[in-house]
Coordinates of all heavy atoms in Angstrom, one line a residue:
A941 N -29.1 -42.4 -36.5 CA -27.8 -43.1 -36.3 C -27.2 -42.7 -34.9 O -27.5 -41.7 -34.4 CB -26.9 -42.8 -37.4
C942 N -26.4 -43.7 -34.4 CA -25.8 -43.5 -33.1 C -24.3 -43.8 -33.2 O -23.9 -44.7 -34.0 CB -26.5 -44.4 -32.1 SG -25.7 -44.5 -30.5
S943 N -23.5 -43.1 -32.5 CA -22.1 -43.5 -32.4 C -21.7 -43.4 -30.9 O -22.3 -42.7 -30.1 CB -21.3 -42.6 -33.3 OG -21.4 -41.2 -32.8
L944 N -20.6 -44.0 -30.6 CA -20.0 -44.0 -29.3 C -18.8 -43.1 -29.3 O -18.0 -43.1 -30.3 CB -19.6 -45.4 -28.8 CG -20.8 -46.4 -28.6 CD1 -20.2 -47.7 -28.2 CD2 -21.7 -45.9 -27.6
K945 N -18.6 -42.4 -28.2 CA -17.4 -41.5 -28.1 C -16.7 -41.7 -26.8 O -17.4 -41.6 -25.8 CB -17.8 -40.1 -28.3 CG -16.6 -39.1 -28.2 CD -17.0 -37.7 -28.3 CE -15.8 -36.8 -28.1 NZ -16.2 -35.4 -28.0
Q946 N -15.5 -42.1 -26.8 CA -14.7 -42.2 -25.5 C -14.1 -40.8 -25.4 O -13.2 -40.4 -26.0 CB -13.6 -43.2 -25.6 CG -12.9 -43.3 -24.2 CD -11.9 -44.5 -24.2 OE1 -11.5 -45.0 -25.2 NE2 -11.5 -44.8 -23.0
D947 N -14.7 -40.0 -24.4 CA -14.2 -38.6 -24.2 C -13.2 -38.5 -23.1 O -12.7 -37.4 -22.9 CB -15.4 -37.7 -24.1 CG -16.4 -38.1 -23.0 OD1 -16.1 -39.1 -22.3 OD2 -17.4 -37.3 -22.8
V948 N -13.0 -39.5 -22.3 CA -12.0 -39.5 -21.2 C -11.3 -40.8 -21.2 O -11.9 -41.9 -21.2 CB -12.6 -39.2 -19.8 CG1 -11.6 -39.3 -18.8 CG2 -13.4 -37.9 -19.8
D949 N -10.0 -40.8 -21.2 CA -9.1 -42.0 -21.0 C -7.9 -41.5 -20.3 O -6.9 -41.1 -20.9 CB -8.8 -42.6 -22.3 CG -8.1 -44.0 -22.2 OD1 -7.7 -44.3 -21.0 OD2 -7.9 -44.7 -23.2
A950 N -7.9 -41.6 -19.0 CA -6.8 -41.0 -18.1 C -5.5 -41.7 -18.4 O -4.5 -41.0 -18.1 CB -7.2 -41.1 -16.7
N951 N -5.4 -42.9 -18.8 CA -4.1 -43.6 -18.9 C -3.7 -43.7 -20.4 O -2.7 -44.4 -20.7 CB -4.1 -45.0 -18.3 CG -3.8 -45.0 -16.8 OD1 -3.2 -44.0 -16.3 ND2 -4.2 -46.0 -16.1
A952 N -4.3 -43.0 -21.3 CA -4.0 -43.0 -22.7 C -2.7 -42.2 -22.9 O -2.4 -41.3 -22.2 CB -5.1 -42.5 -23.6
G953 N -2.0 -42.5 -24.0 CA -0.8 -41.7 -24.4 C 0.4 -41.8 -23.4 O 1.1 -40.9 -23.4
G954 N 0.5 -42.9 -22.7 CA 1.6 -43.1 -21.8 C 1.4 -42.5 -20.4 O 2.3 -42.7 -19.6
Y955 N 0.3 -41.9 -20.1 CA 0.1 -41.4 -18.8 C -0.2 -42.6 -17.9 O -0.6 -43.7 -18.3 CB -1.1 -40.5 -18.7 CG -0.9 -39.2 -19.5 CD1 -1.5 -39.0 -20.7 CD2 -0.1 -38.2 -18.9 CE1 -1.2 -37.8 -21.4 CE2 0.1 -37.0 -19.6 CZ -0.4 -36.9 -20.9 OH -0.2 -35.7 -21.5
N956 N 0.1 -42.5 -16.6 CA 0.0 -43.5 -15.6 C -0.5 -43.0 -14.3 O 0.3 -42.6 -13.4 CB 1.4 -44.2 -15.4 CG 1.3 -45.5 -14.7 OD1 0.2 -45.9 -14.3 ND2 2.4 -46.1 -14.4
T957 N -1.8 -42.9 -14.2 CA -2.4 -42.3 -13.0 C -2.8 -43.4 -12.0 O -3.1 -44.5 -12.4 CB -3.6 -41.4 -13.3 OG1 -4.2 -41.0 -12.1 CG2 -4.7 -42.2 -14.1
E958 N -2.8 -43.1 -10.7 CA -3.3 -44.1 -9.7 C -4.8 -44.2 -9.7 O -5.3 -45.1 -9.1 CB -2.8 -43.6 -8.3 CG -1.3 -43.5 -8.2 CD -0.7 -44.9 -8.0 OE1 -1.3 -45.7 -7.3 OE2 0.4 -45.1 -8.5
T959 N -5.5 -43.2 -10.2 CA -7.0 -43.2 -10.2 C -7.5 -43.0 -11.6 O -8.0 -41.9 -12.0 CB -7.5 -42.1 -9.3 OG1 -6.9 -40.8 -9.7 CG2 -7.2 -42.4 -7.8
P960 N -7.3 -44.0 -12.5 CA -7.7 -43.8 -13.9 C -9.2 -43.7 -14.0 O -10.0 -44.3 -13.3 CB -7.2 -45.1 -14.6 CG -7.1 -46.1 -13.5 CD -6.8 -45.3 -12.2
V961 N -9.6 -42.9 -15.0 CA -11.0 -42.7 -15.3 C -11.2 -42.8 -16.8 O -10.4 -42.3 -17.6 CB -11.6 -41.3 -14.8 CG1 -13.0 -41.1 -15.3 CG2 -11.4 -41.2 -13.3
E962 N -12.3 -43.5 -17.2 CA -12.6 -43.5 -18.6 C -14.1 -43.2 -18.7 O -14.9 -43.5 -17.8 CB -12.3 -44.9 -19.3 CG -10.8 -45.2 -19.3 CD -10.5 -46.4 -20.0 OE1 -11.3 -46.9 -20.9 OE2 -9.4 -47.0 -19.7
N963 N -14.5 -42.6 -19.8 CA -15.9 -42.3 -20.0 C -16.3 -42.5 -21.5 O -15.6 -42.0 -22.4 CB -16.2 -40.8 -19.6 CG -17.7 -40.6 -19.6 OD1 -18.4 -41.2 -18.8 ND2 -18.2 -39.6 -20.4
V964 N -17.4 -43.2 -21.7 CA -17.9 -43.4 -23.0 C -19.4 -42.9 -23.1 O -20.2 -43.2 -22.2 CB -17.9 -44.9 -23.4 CG1 -18.5 -45.1 -24.8 CG2 -16.5 -45.4 -23.4
T965 N -19.7 -42.1 -24.0 CA -21.0 -41.5 -24.2 C -21.6 -41.9 -25.6 O -20.8 -42.2 -26.5 CB -21.1 -40.0 -24.0 OG1 -20.2 -39.4 -25.0 CG2 -20.6 -39.6 -22.6
T966 N -22.9 -41.8 -25.7 CA -23.5 -42.0 -27.0 C -23.9 -40.7 -27.6 O -24.2 -39.7 -26.9 CB -24.8 -42.9 -26.9 OG1 -25.7 -42.3 -26.0 CG2 -24.4 -44.3 -26.4
I967 N -23.8 -40.6 -28.9 CA -24.2 -39.4 -29.6 C -25.3 -39.8 -30.6 O -25.1 -40.7 -31.4 CB -23.0 -38.9 -30.4 CG1 -21.9 -38.5 -29.5 CG2 -23.4 -37.7 -31.3 CD1 -20.6 -38.2 -30.2
G968 N -26.5 -39.3 -30.4 CA -27.6 -39.6 -31.3 C -28.5 -40.7 -30.6 O -28.3 -41.1 -29.5
Q969 N -29.5 -41.1 -31.3 CA -30.5 -42.0 -30.8 C -29.9 -43.4 -30.8 O -29.4 -43.9 -31.8 CB -31.8 -42.0 -31.7 CG -32.9 -42.9 -31.2 CD -33.5 -42.5 -29.9 OE1 -33.5 -41.3 -29.6 NE2 -33.9 -43.5 -29.1
V970 N -30.0 -44.1 -29.6 CA -29.4 -45.5 -29.5 C -30.4 -46.4 -30.1 O -31.6 -46.5 -29.7 CB -29.2 -45.8 -28.0 CG1 -28.7 -47.2 -27.9 CG2 -28.2 -44.8 -27.4
P971 N -30.0 -47.3 -31.1 CA -30.9 -48.2 -31.7 C -31.4 -49.3 -30.6 O -30.6 -49.6 -29.7 CB -30.1 -48.9 -32.8 CG -28.9 -48.0 -32.9 CD -28.7 -47.3 -31.7
A972 N -32.5 -49.9 -30.8 CA -33.0 -51.0 -30.0 C -32.1 -52.1 -30.1 O -31.5 -52.4 -31.2 CB -34.4 -51.4 -30.4
G973 N -31.9 -52.9 -29.0 CA -31.0 -54.0 -29.0 C -30.5 -54.4 -27.6 O -30.8 -53.7 -26.6
T974 N -29.7 -55.4 -27.6 CA -29.1 -55.8 -26.3 C -27.6 -55.3 -26.4 O -26.9 -55.5 -27.3 CB -29.1 -57.4 -26.2 OG1 -30.4 -57.8 -26.3 CG2 -28.4 -57.8 -24.9
Y975 N -27.2 -54.7 -25.3 CA -25.9 -54.1 -25.2 C -25.1 -54.8 -24.0 O -25.7 -55.1 -23.0 CB -26.0 -52.6 -25.0 CG -26.5 -51.9 -26.2 CD1 -27.9 -51.8 -26.4 CD2 -25.7 -51.3 -27.1 CE1 -28.4 -51.2 -27.5 CE2 -26.2 -50.7 -28.2 CZ -27.5 -50.6 -28.4 OH -28.0 -50.0 -29.6
R976 N -23.8 -54.9 -24.2 CA -22.9 -55.5 -23.2 C -21.9 -54.5 -22.8 O -21.4 -53.8 -23.6 CB -22.2 -56.7 -23.8 CG -23.1 -57.8 -24.3 CD -22.3 -58.8 -25.2 NE -21.0 -59.2 -24.8 CZ -20.7 -60.4 -24.3 NH1 -21.7 -61.3 -24.2 NH2 -19.5 -60.6 -23.8
V977 N -21.7 -54.4 -21.5 CA -20.7 -53.5 -20.9 C -19.6 -54.4 -20.3 O -19.9 -55.2 -19.5 CB -21.3 -52.6 -19.8 CG1 -20.2 -51.7 -19.2 CG2 -22.4 -51.8 -20.4
S978 N -18.4 -54.2 -20.8 CA -17.2 -55.0 -20.4 C -16.1 -54.1 -19.9 O -16.0 -53.0 -20.3 CB -16.7 -55.9 -21.5 OG -17.7 -56.8 -21.9
V979 N -15.3 -54.7 -19.0 CA -14.0 -54.0 -18.6 C -12.9 -54.9 -19.2 O -12.9 -56.1 -19.1 CB -13.9 -54.0 -17.1 CG1 -12.6 -53.5 -16.6 CG2 -15.0 -53.1 -16.5
D980 N -12.0 -54.2 -19.9 CA -10.9 -54.9 -20.5 C -9.6 -54.5 -19.8 O -9.2 -53.4 -19.7 CB -10.7 -54.4 -22.0 CG -9.8 -55.3 -22.8 OD1 -9.1 -56.1 -22.2 OD2 -9.7 -55.1 -24.0
Y981 N -9.0 -55.5 -19.2 CA -7.7 -55.4 -18.4 C -6.6 -55.2 -19.5 O -6.1 -56.2 -19.9 CB -7.5 -56.6 -17.5 CG -6.3 -56.5 -16.6 CD1 -6.5 -55.9 -15.3 CD2 -5.1 -56.9 -17.0 CE1 -5.4 -55.8 -14.5 CE2 -4.0 -56.8 -16.1 CZ -4.1 -56.2 -14.9 OH -3.1 -56.1 -14.0
F982 N -6.3 -54.0 -19.8 CA -5.4 -53.7 -20.9 C -3.9 -54.1 -20.5 O -3.2 -54.7 -21.2 CB -5.5 -52.3 -21.3 CG -4.7 -51.9 -22.6 CD1 -5.1 -52.4 -23.8 CD2 -3.6 -51.2 -22.5 CE1 -4.3 -52.1 -24.9 CE2 -2.8 -50.9 -23.6 CZ -3.2 -51.4 -24.8
S983 N -3.4 -53.5 -19.4 CA -2.1 -53.9 -18.9 C -2.0 -53.5 -17.5 O -2.7 -52.6 -17.0 CB -1.0 -53.1 -19.8 OG -1.1 -51.8 -19.6
Q984 N -0.9 -54.0 -16.9 CA -0.7 -53.8 -15.5 C 0.4 -52.6 -15.4 O 1.5 -52.8 -15.9 CB -0.2 -55.0 -14.8 CG 0.0 -54.9 -13.3 CD 0.5 -56.1 -12.6 OE1 1.0 -57.0 -13.3 NE2 0.3 -56.2 -11.4
H985 N 0.0 -51.5 -14.8 CA 0.9 -50.4 -14.7 C 1.8 -50.5 -13.4 O 2.8 -49.9 -13.4 CB 0.1 -49.1 -14.7 CG -0.5 -48.7 -16.0 ND1 0.2 -48.3 -17.1 CD2 -1.8 -48.9 -16.4 CE1 -0.6 -48.1 -18.1 NE2 -1.8 -48.4 -17.7
R986 N 1.3 -51.1 -12.4 CA 2.0 -51.2 -11.1 C 2.2 -52.7 -10.7 O 1.2 -53.3 -10.4 CB 1.3 -50.4 -10.0 CG 1.2 -49.0 -10.3 CD 0.4 -48.2 -9.3 NE 0.4 -48.8 -8.0 CZ -0.6 -48.7 -7.1 NH1 -1.7 -48.0 -7.4 NH2 -0.5 -49.2 -5.9
P987 N 3.4 -53.2 -10.8 CA 3.6 -54.6 -10.4 C 3.1 -54.9 -9.0 O 3.2 -54.1 -8.1 CB 5.2 -54.7 -10.5 CG 5.6 -53.6 -11.4 CD 4.6 -52.5 -11.2
G988 N 2.5 -56.1 -8.9 CA 2.0 -56.5 -7.6 C 0.6 -56.0 -7.3 O 0.1 -56.3 -6.2
H989 N 0.0 -55.3 -8.2 CA -1.4 -54.8 -8.0 C -2.4 -55.6 -8.9 O -3.2 -54.9 -9.6 CB -1.5 -53.3 -8.2 CG -0.8 -52.6 -7.1 ND1 0.5 -52.3 -7.1 CD2 -1.3 -52.0 -6.0 CE1 0.8 -51.7 -6.0 NE2 -0.2 -51.5 -5.3
D990 N -2.3 -56.9 -9.0 CA -3.2 -57.7 -9.8 C -3.9 -58.6 -8.9 O -3.3 -59.3 -8.1 CB -2.3 -58.5 -10.8 CG -3.1 -59.2 -11.9 OD1 -4.3 -58.7 -12.1 OD2 -2.7 -60.1 -12.5
P991 N -5.2 -58.7 -8.9 CA -6.1 -58.0 -9.9 C -6.4 -56.5 -9.6 O -6.1 -56.1 -8.5 CB -7.4 -58.8 -9.7 CG -7.4 -59.3 -8.3 CD -6.0 -59.5 -8.0
S992 N -6.9 -55.8 -10.5 CA -7.2 -54.4 -10.4 C -8.7 -54.2 -10.2 O -9.5 -54.9 -10.8 CB -6.8 -53.7 -11.6 OG -5.4 -53.7 -11.8
G993 N -9.1 -53.3 -9.3 CA -10.5 -53.0 -9.1 C -11.0 -52.1 -10.2 O -10.3 -51.4 -10.8
Y994 N -12.4 -52.2 -10.3 CA -13.0 -51.2 -11.2 C -14.4 -50.8 -10.7 O -14.9 -51.5 -9.8 CB -13.2 -51.9 -12.6 CG -14.2 -53.0 -12.6 CD1 -15.6 -52.8 -12.7 CD2 -13.7 -54.3 -12.6 CE1 -16.4 -53.9 -12.7 CE2 -14.6 -55.4 -12.6 CZ -15.9 -55.2 -12.7 OH -16.8 -56.3 -12.7
A995 N -14.9 -49.7 -11.1 CA -16.2 -49.3 -10.8 C -16.9 -48.8 -12.1 O -16.2 -48.1 -12.9 CB -16.2 -48.1 -9.8
V996 N -18.1 -49.2 -12.4 CA -18.8 -48.9 -13.6 C -20.1 -48.3 -13.3 O -20.8 -48.8 -12.4 CB -19.0 -50.1 -14.5 CG1 -19.8 -49.8 -15.7 CG2 -17.6 -50.7 -15.0
R997 N -20.5 -47.2 -13.9 CA -21.8 -46.6 -13.8 C -22.4 -46.6 -15.1 O -21.8 -46.1 -16.1 CB -21.7 -45.2 -13.2 CG -23.1 -44.5 -13.1 CD -23.0 -43.1 -12.6 NE -22.4 -42.2 -13.6 CZ -23.1 -41.2 -14.0 NH1 -24.3 -40.8 -13.5 NH2 -22.5 -40.4 -14.9
T998 N -23.6 -47.1 -15.3 CA -24.4 -47.1 -16.5 C -25.6 -46.2 -16.3 O -26.2 -46.2 -15.2 CB -24.8 -48.4 -17.0 OG1 -25.7 -49.0 -16.1 CG2 -23.7 -49.3 -17.3
V999 N -26.0 -45.4 -17.3 CA -27.2 -44.6 -17.3 C -27.9 -45.0 -18.6 O -27.5 -44.6 -19.6 CB -26.9 -43.1 -17.2 CG1 -28.2 -42.3 -17.1 CG2 -26.0 -42.8 -16.0
V1000 N -29.0 -45.7 -18.4 CA -29.8 -46.1 -19.6 C -31.2 -45.5 -19.4 O -32.0 -45.9 -18.5 CB -29.9 -47.6 -19.7 CG1 -30.7 -48.0 -20.9 CG2 -28.5 -48.2 -19.8
R1001 N -31.6 -44.5 -20.2 CA -32.9 -43.9 -20.2 C -33.2 -43.3 -18.8 O -34.3 -43.5 -18.3 CB -34.0 -44.8 -20.7 CG -33.7 -45.4 -22.0 CD -34.9 -45.5 -22.9 NE -34.6 -46.2 -24.1 CZ -34.6 -45.7 -25.3 NH1 -35.0 -44.5 -25.5 NH2 -34.3 -46.4 -26.3
G1002 N -32.1 -42.7 -18.2 CA -32.3 -42.1 -16.8 C -32.1 -43.1 -15.7 O -32.1 -42.7 -14.5
N1003 N -32.0 -44.4 -15.9 CA -31.9 -45.4 -14.9 C -30.4 -45.6 -14.6 O -29.7 -46.2 -15.5 CB -32.6 -46.7 -15.3 CG -32.5 -47.8 -14.2 OD1 -32.4 -47.5 -13.0 ND2 -32.5 -49.0 -14.6
E1004 N -29.9 -45.2 -13.5 CA -28.5 -45.4 -13.1 C -28.3 -46.7 -12.4 O -29.1 -47.1 -11.5 CB -28.0 -44.3 -12.2 CG -27.9 -43.0 -12.9 CD -27.3 -41.9 -12.0 OE1 -26.1 -42.1 -11.6 OE2 -28.0 -41.0 -11.6
Q1005 N -27.2 -47.4 -12.7 CA -26.8 -48.6 -12.0 C -25.3 -48.6 -11.8 O -24.5 -48.0 -12.6 CB -27.1 -49.9 -12.8 CG -28.6 -50.2 -12.9 CD -28.9 -51.5 -13.5 OE1 -28.7 -51.7 -14.7 NE2 -29.3 -52.5 -12.6
Y1006 N -24.8 -49.1 -10.7 CA -23.4 -49.1 -10.3 C -22.9 -50.5 -10.1 O -23.6 -51.4 -9.6 CB -23.2 -48.3 -9.0 CG -23.5 -46.9 -9.1 CD1 -24.8 -46.4 -8.9 CD2 -22.6 -46.0 -9.5 CE1 -25.1 -45.1 -9.0 CE2 -22.9 -44.6 -9.6 CZ -24.2 -44.2 -9.4 OH -24.5 -42.9 -9.5
F1007 N -21.7 -50.8 -10.6 CA -21.1 -52.1 -10.5 C -19.7 -52.0 -10.1 O -19.0 -51.1 -10.5 CB -21.1 -52.8 -11.9 CG -22.5 -52.9 -12.5 CD1 -23.0 -51.9 -13.3 CD2 -23.3 -54.0 -12.2 CE1 -24.2 -51.9 -13.9 CE2 -24.6 -54.0 -12.8 CZ -25.0 -53.0 -13.6
E1008 N -19.2 -52.8 -9.2 CA -17.8 -52.9 -8.8 C -17.3 -54.3 -8.8 O -18.1 -55.2 -8.7 CB -17.6 -52.3 -7.4 CG -17.9 -50.8 -7.2 CD -17.7 -50.3 -5.8 OE1 -17.4 -51.1 -4.9 OE2 -17.8 -49.1 -5.7
G1009 N -16.0 -54.4 -9.1 CA -15.4 -55.8 -9.1 C -13.9 -55.7 -9.3 O -13.3 -54.6 -9.2
R1010 N -13.4 -56.8 -9.6 CA -11.9 -56.9 -9.8 C -11.7 -57.7 -11.1 O -12.4 -58.6 -11.4 CB -11.2 -57.6 -8.6 CG -11.5 -56.8 -7.3 CD -10.8 -57.3 -6.1 NE -9.3 -57.0 -6.1 CZ -8.8 -55.8 -6.0 NH1 -9.5 -54.7 -5.9 NH2 -7.5 -55.7 -5.9
V1011 N -10.7 -57.3 -11.8 CA -10.4 -57.9 -13.1 C -8.9 -58.2 -13.2 O -8.1 -57.4 -12.7 CB -10.9 -57.1 -14.3 CG1 -10.2 -55.8 -14.4 CG2 -10.9 -57.8 -15.6
R1012 N -8.6 -59.3 -13.9 CA -7.1 -59.6 -14.2 C -7.1 -60.4 -15.5 O -8.1 -60.9 -16.0 CB -6.6 -60.5 -13.1 CG -7.1 -61.9 -13.1 CD -6.6 -62.9 -12.1 NE -5.3 -62.6 -11.5 CZ -5.1 -62.7 -10.2 NH1 -6.0 -63.1 -9.4 NH2 -3.9 -62.4 -9.7
S1013 N -6.0 -60.4 -16.1 CA -5.8 -61.2 -17.3 C -5.6 -62.7 -16.9 O -4.9 -63.0 -16.0 CB -4.5 -60.7 -18.1 OG -4.3 -61.5 -19.2
D1014 N -6.4 -63.5 -17.6 CA -6.3 -64.9 -17.2 C -5.2 -65.7 -18.0 O -4.5 -65.1 -18.8 CB -7.6 -65.7 -17.3 CG -8.1 -65.8 -18.7 OD1 -7.3 -65.7 -19.7 OD2 -9.3 -66.1 -18.9
E1015 N -5.0 -66.9 -17.7 CA -3.9 -67.7 -18.3 C -4.0 -67.8 -19.9 O -3.0 -68.0 -20.5 CB -3.9 -69.1 -17.8 CG -3.6 -69.2 -16.3 CD -4.9 -68.9 -15.4 OE1 -6.0 -69.1 -15.9 OE2 -4.7 -68.4 -14.3
T1016 N -5.2 -67.6 -20.4 CA -5.4 -67.7 -21.8 C -5.1 -66.3 -22.5 O -5.2 -66.2 -23.7 CB -6.8 -68.1 -22.2 OG1 -7.8 -67.1 -21.8 CG2 -7.2 -69.4 -21.5
G1017 N -4.9 -65.3 -21.7 CA -4.7 -64.0 -22.2 C -6.0 -63.2 -22.4 O -6.0 -62.0 -22.9
D1018 N -7.1 -63.8 -22.0 CA -8.4 -63.1 -22.1 C -8.5 -62.1 -21.0 O -8.5 -62.5 -19.8 CB -9.5 -64.1 -22.1 CG -10.9 -63.4 -22.3 OD1 -10.9 -62.2 -22.7 OD2 -11.9 -64.1 -22.0
S1019 N -8.6 -60.8 -21.3 CA -8.6 -59.8 -20.3 C -10.0 -59.1 -20.2 O -10.1 -58.2 -19.4 CB -7.5 -58.8 -20.5 OG -7.8 -58.2 -21.8
R1020 N -11.0 -59.5 -21.0 CA -12.3 -58.9 -21.0 C -13.2 -59.5 -19.9 O -13.3 -60.7 -19.9 CB -12.9 -58.9 -22.3 CG -14.2 -58.1 -22.4 CD -14.5 -57.8 -23.8 NE -13.5 -56.8 -24.3 CZ -13.3 -56.7 -25.6 NH1 -13.9 -57.3 -26.5 NH2 -12.3 -55.8 -26.0
H1021 N -13.8 -58.7 -19.1 CA -14.7 -59.1 -18.1 C -16.1 -58.5 -18.3 O -16.2 -57.3 -18.3 CB -14.1 -58.7 -16.7 CG -15.0 -59.0 -15.6 ND1 -15.2 -60.3 -15.0 CD2 -15.9 -58.2 -14.8 CE1 -16.0 -60.3 -14.0 NE2 -16.5 -59.0 -13.9
L1022 N -17.1 -59.3 -18.5 CA -18.5 -58.8 -18.7 C -19.0 -58.3 -17.4 O -19.0 -59.0 -16.4 CB -19.4 -60.0 -19.2 CG -20.8 -59.6 -19.4 CD1 -20.9 -58.5 -20.5 CD2 -21.6 -60.8 -19.8
V1023 N -19.4 -57.1 -17.4 CA -20.0 -56.4 -16.2 C -21.5 -56.5 -16.2 O -22.1 -56.9 -15.2 CB -19.5 -54.9 -16.1 CG1 -20.2 -54.2 -15.0 CG2 -18.0 -54.8 -16.1
T1024 N -22.1 -56.2 -17.3 CA -23.6 -56.2 -17.3 C -24.1 -56.2 -18.8 O -23.3 -55.9 -19.7 CB -24.2 -55.0 -16.5 OG1 -25.6 -55.2 -16.5 CG2 -23.9 -53.7 -17.2
T1025 N -25.3 -56.6 -19.0 CA -26.0 -56.4 -20.2 C -27.3 -55.6 -20.0 O -27.8 -55.6 -18.9 CB -26.3 -57.7 -20.9 OG1 -27.2 -58.5 -20.1 CG2 -25.1 -58.5 -21.2
F1026 N -27.8 -54.9 -21.0 CA -29.0 -54.2 -20.9 C -29.7 -54.1 -22.2 O -29.1 -54.3 -23.3 CB -28.9 -52.8 -20.2 CG -28.0 -51.9 -21.0 CD1 -28.6 -51.1 -22.0 CD2 -26.7 -51.8 -20.8 CE1 -27.8 -50.2 -22.7 CE2 -25.9 -50.9 -21.5 CZ -26.4 -50.1 -22.5
E1027 N -31.0 -54.0 -22.2 CA -31.9 -53.9 -23.4 C -32.3 -52.5 -23.6 O -32.7 -51.8 -22.6 CB -33.1 -54.8 -23.2 CG -32.8 -56.2 -23.1 CD -32.9 -56.9 -24.5 OE1 -33.5 -56.4 -25.4 OE2 -32.3 -58.0 -24.6
V1028 N -32.3 -52.0 -24.8 CA -32.9 -50.8 -25.2 C -34.0 -51.2 -26.2 O -33.8 -51.9 -27.2 CB -31.9 -49.8 -25.9 CG1 -32.6 -48.6 -26.5 CG2 -30.8 -49.4 -24.9
R1029 N -35.2 -50.7 -25.9 CA -36.4 -51.0 -26.7 C -36.9 -49.8 -27.5 O -36.8 -48.7 -27.1 CB -37.5 -51.6 -25.9 CG -37.1 -52.9 -25.2 CD -38.2 -53.4 -24.3 NE -37.7 -54.4 -23.4 CZ -37.8 -55.7 -23.6 NH1 -38.3 -56.1 -24.7 NH2 -37.3 -56.5 -22.7

């Protein structure tokens, strides 16, 4: 069995940092399948700084990949931005 654990969330609990970091790790064997990595624009902490930049690093079976981009909430309220998908076999 596998579970995900968010072990770092710099802006949780009312904190408001200029350089937020979040980290999600897996615990146990990851089942085979297709996985999606998304960035969710939760809220704007500093007026006038929309869109917000992001950097994502994935490590899948030792293979590191880096992604950068910008995300904002759109007119429909959808704030999730697909960054990448990957397969685990």
Side-chain angles (χ1 to χ4, degrees):
C942 172
S943 63
L944 296 175
K945 177 183 178 189
Q946 183 174 18
D947 55 0
V948 177
D949 187 351
N951 276 339
Y955 293 104
N956 191 4
T957 177
E958 297 285 324
T959 55
V961 174
E962 296 185 23
N963 189 63
V964 177
T965 59
T966 58
I967 300 168
Q969 182 67 31
V970 177
T974 302
Y975 292 83
R976 300 165 44 107
V977 178
S978 299
V979 172
D980 191 354
Y981 187 91
F982 186 72
S983 67
Q984 184 178 20
H985 289 284
R986 293 175 33 210
H989 288 83
D990 190 22
S992 293
Y994 67 83
V996 172
R997 177 180 75 120
T998 60
V999 182
V1000 180
R1001 307 218 189 243
N1003 180 28
E1004 289 185 66
Q1005 290 188 288
Y1006 295 88
F1007 306 89
E1008 292 184 355
R1010 300 186 74 68
V1011 66
R1012 71 176 343 134
S1013 181
D1014 69 17
E1015 297 78 29
T1016 67
D1018 185 12
S1019 60
R1020 186 160 292 157
H1021 175 77
L1022 179 64
V1023 175
T1024 187
T1025 61
F1026 61 88
E1027 294 268 340
V1028 172
R1029 299 178 194 266

